[in-house]
Amino acid sequence: MFTLDAFILGAGEGFNGGDIAFQLLMFIILMALLKKFAWGPLMGIMKQREDHIAGEIEAAEKSRVEAKQQLEEQRQLLKEARQDAQELIENARKQGDLQREEIITAARAESERLKETALREIGTEKDQAVAALREQVATLSVLIASKVIEKELTLEEQQQLINETIAKAGDLR
Amino acid sequence: MNHEAPLVNFLGLTFNLSNILMVTVASAIVFLIAVLSTRALAMKPTGMQNFMEWVMDFVRNIIKSNMDWKTGGSFHILGITLLMYVAISNFLGLPFAITYNHELWWKSPTADPVITLTLAVMVIALTHYYGIRMKGFKEYGKDFFRPMSFLFPLKIIEEFANTLTLGLRLYGNIYAGEILLGLLAGSLAATGAVGWIAASVPTLAWLAFSVFIGGIQAFIFVMLTMVYMAHKVSHDH
């Protein structure tokens, strides 16, 4: 059977002061030892991990922002490059147009000048030819006249002579 | 069932040697578990370190549910140690009990009211100590007259009631568990083959339930410790 004593504090063989003191002492020692050898290091590593994770997150955040910034920069650069290229092409086209215009104008002017020169040369040649003809005719007249004076000729002879002379003159030319 | 306790008188104090033994064993086991599982600490936790970190987080959550972490952080180590110690103590009496010369030697240390009440008194004393230290003596004293001054006697009674319930709840649960285990395994199973078979099923069930009870009681003990602590140290409640 149960004895009532087992349930009543301090009943029976006296107050269990030793148990109380021992339990208290053991618990305090246990707590101190655990703090030094187990909980302390464990808390340390947990704190360390917490810091590590926080640092990693921060670094990730920073690199993300950096990447975004760089992307923006690259995009800007690309845009600028594209714009530059566009400008260059535009310039080249304008330049080409201008050059074409110039070349055409120059060619036109050149042809005009050539034509002018040719016309002038033709004129000069013509004048020279006319002058030369005139001189020839004069000489021929003198020649014919002298022949006529040299010898009394029949009409046929005279005619023949004239023809000969003219032919000769033609050969002379 | 009617076991004597191995009592010894020493330096005018009465020692229950069974309690001394079991307290030592429980402390040693807690210490070994804690130290062995925190030997190879790593940033990437493995095995027992995970378990210990889970225990720490568990206690941290208990504390956080009662007070803000700034004041509660200093009770973290107390909480973890209490949880581990009480839980291990509760489990110690479950696998077997050892009697020698009609004296009960191996049992749960928490199946003795002296041990549980010692822990309870220690906890309550700590709450008063931290109440004075964190709020100052004046504020601490004023708390006994809040919210109404005529509640002062009740507040005084509350302190003793808290102590008694905190200790006796744990003791009662564990002691009852061991009594029933003793009856099943010690008396019913000893009546013969039929008794042994008849006892085995309820013993298994009761063992499982006792493990559950042991864990729950350890949790409740720590939870109430933090509740009482919060009552004493926080400014608004």
Side-chain angles (χ1 to χ4, degrees), chain A residues 18-19 23 37 43 49, chain B residues 16 19 39 43 53 85 115:
Chain A
D19 291 358
Q23 166 66 72
F37 292 111
M43 280 172 174
R49 184 184 313 132
Chain B
N16 182 343
N19 279 344
R39 268 320 77 192
M43 290 284 274
E53 291 192 2
Y85 179 74
I115 299 298

Side-chain angles (χ1 to χ4, degrees), chain A residues 1 7 9 13 15-16 18-20 22-23 27 30 33-35 37 39 41-43 46 49 52, chain B residues 2 7 14-16 19-20 23-24 27 34 39 43 53 56 76-77 80-81 85 115 117 122 175:
Chain A
M1 281 308 298
F7 297 100
L9 264 176
E13 296 87 350
F15 185 55
N16 271 358
D19 291 358
I20 294 172
F22 186 76
Q23 166 66 72
F27 188 79
L30 178 68
L33 283 178
L34 285 184
K35 184 179 180 179
F37 292 111
W39 306 150
L42 191 60
M43 280 172 174
M46 283 171 90
R49 184 184 313 132
H52 178 73
Chain B
N2 184 16
L7 296 179
T14 308
F15 289 86
N16 182 343
N19 279 344
I20 306 293
V23 166
T24 312
S27 301
R39 268 320 77 192
M43 290 284 274
E53 291 192 2
M56 290 197 105
H76 199 187
I77 286 181
I80 308 165
T81 315
Y85 179 74
I115 299 298
L117 279 173
M122 182 192 74
Y175 186 63

Side-chain angles (χ1 to χ4, degrees), chain B:
Chain B
M1 285 299 92
N2 184 16
H3 297 304
E4 306 288 324
L7 296 179
V8 161
N9 265 301
F10 183 67
L11 295 175
L13 291 169
T14 308
F15 289 86
N16 182 343
L17 289 184
S18 159
N19 279 344
I20 306 293
L21 170 72
M22 293 319 292
V23 166
T24 312
V25 168
S27 301
I29 291 177
V30 170
F31 182 74
L32 279 181
I33 289 177
V35 169
L36 287 182
S37 55
T38 53
R39 268 320 77 192
L41 288 175
M43 290 284 274
K44 273 194 222 163
T46 50
M48 283 302 280
Q49 192 190 339
N50 268 326
F51 172 69
M52 276 298 145
E53 291 192 2
W54 174 78
V55 171
M56 290 197 105
D57 275 339
F58 185 70
V59 175
R60 195 204 310 270
N61 285 334
I62 292 177
I63 294 174
K64 271 183 177 167
S65 67
N66 286 302
M67 50 194 134
D68 58 325
W69 184 245
K70 230 173 84 185
T71 48
S74 41
F75 312 127
H76 199 187
I77 286 181
L78 170 73
I80 308 165
T81 315
L82 262 183
L83 185 75
M84 293 283 290
Y85 179 74
V86 173
I88 295 294
S89 295
N90 292 349
F91 297 146
L92 274 184
L94 295 184
F96 46 77
I98 296 174
T99 57
Y100 180 74
N101 272 349
H102 292 289
E103 289 174 336
L104 180 61
W105 280 91
W106 186 282
K107 62 187 182 77
S108 284
T110 42
D112 190 310
V114 174
I115 299 298
T116 59
L117 279 173
T118 304
L119 289 174
V121 170
M122 182 192 74
V123 163
I124 299 296
L126 278 176
T127 64
H128 286 272
Y129 170 71
Y130 279 105
I132 294 172
R133 201 175 115 173
M134 289 187 174
K135 293 170 77 175
F137 193 79
K138 208 174 151 196
E139 273 295 303
Y140 162 79
K142 271 188 186 168
D143 261 355
F144 282 100
F145 299 97
R146 280 181 189 139
M148 307 285 182
S149 53
F150 67 85
L151 289 176
F152 175 67
L154 277 180
K155 286 276 192 175
I156 296 296
I157 292 170
E158 188 194 8
E159 296 304 323
F160 290 100
N162 280 349
T163 317
L164 272 178
T165 53
L166 185 62
L168 292 182
R169 174 186 304 108
L170 179 58
Y171 157 68
N173 274 284
I174 305 308
Y175 186 63
E178 292 203 351
I179 289 286
L180 192 49
L181 268 184
L183 284 173
L184 285 169
S187 302
L188 183 55
T191 54
V194 179
W196 197 91
I197 291 166
S200 59
V201 173
T203 304
L204 267 179
W206 187 249
L207 258 180
F209 189 60
S210 291
V211 170
F212 174 67
I213 290 286
I216 285 289
Q217 285 305 319
F219 163 68
I220 288 175
F221 197 89
V222 175
M223 180 56 121
L224 284 175
T225 299
M226 293 310 161
V227 168
Y228 297 152
M229 195 67 90
H231 266 256
K232 289 290 176 208
V233 300
S234 40
H235 287 272
D236 42 346
H237 53 264

Side-chain angles (χ1 to χ4, degrees), chain A residues 79-141:
Chain A
K79 207 169 146 192
E80 265 168 34
R82 204 167 276 163
Q83 219 163 346
D84 278 2
Q86 200 66 35
E87 223 163 87
L88 235 84
I89 289 170
E90 202 63 39
N91 273 355
R93 187 174 293 153
K94 232 176 257 171
Q95 189 88 15
D97 279 356
L98 210 66
Q99 223 150 9
R100 197 181 60 186
E101 248 0 272
E102 246 165 50
I103 288 169
I104 288 172
T105 315
R108 205 164 273 161
E110 180 69 13
S111 71
E112 203 64 38
R113 197 179 58 77
L114 277 175
K115 205 170 92 184
E116 207 72 29
T117 318
L119 279 179
R120 212 178 306 128
E121 242 163 58
I122 290 168
T124 320
E125 290 283 321
K126 199 177 82 183
D127 286 354
Q128 273 176 358
V130 168
L133 197 62
R134 210 166 266 155
E135 211 174 303
Q136 287 288 324
V137 167
T139 328
L140 210 59
S141 308

